[in-house]
Amino acid sequence: MKSYRETFNDGFLQYGHNSVQRSANGKRIGESFLAEGKLAFKEMSARESDFELAGTMGSSLDLKVKTRFPPSFRNIKKSGLKVVIESVEYDVIKADVDRNNNYLYFYLQEVGDIT
């Protein structure tokens, strides 16, 4: 079967982690998003099994997106991963790779607007 070239033209997402900001005394005063990379994405429709997966993890699925799988993503710490799309922050419920390591699926729960 001949492969086709897939387009990811729904937008760009930034992935990374939140960094805790502290005062001079060491008291926590807030968090800021530290981007580790940027990927073009395609919005996907979620299946019933995707919603069930999120429910079993104590989360709600708000958005499912598909991106190319960058080789640098192998070195990214996936626990506590955050995604920002159009200044809206999402928690990554699960980051799933396809069988051939070509594509990456992000299951996202909305947190809120980034300030």
Side-chain angles (χ1 to χ4, degrees), residues 6-51:
E6 192 163 0
T7 59
F8 296 90
N9 57 1
D10 287 338
F12 287 94
L13 63 82
Q14 290 184 311
Y15 61 89
H17 292 88
N18 278 346
S19 170
V20 176
Q21 296 175 336
R22 300 195 180 270
S23 68
N25 300 345
K27 187 173 182 176
R28 182 182 177 146
I29 57 174
E31 290 184 345
S32 64
F33 178 74
L34 293 175
E36 297 176 21
K38 185 176 182 179
L39 297 169
F41 73 89
K42 173 179 163 180
E43 192 170 334
M44 303 293 293
S45 59
R47 303 171 302 190
E48 185 63 33
S49 60
D50 296 333
F51 289 109

Side-chain angles (χ1 to χ4, degrees), residues 8 10-13 39-46 61-68 83 85 90 92 94-96 103-108:
F8 296 90
D10 287 338
F12 287 94
L13 63 82
L39 297 169
F41 73 89
K42 173 179 163 180
E43 192 170 334
M44 303 293 293
S45 59
L61 181 63
D62 293 319
L63 185 63
K64 179 181 174 183
V65 296
K66 179 180 182 179
T67 68
R68 292 209 180 278
V83 165
I85 301 173
Y90 295 89
V92 176
K94 184 177 180 182
D96 197 16
Y103 301 109
L104 187 61
Y105 297 88
F106 286 101
Y107 299 83
L108 306 172

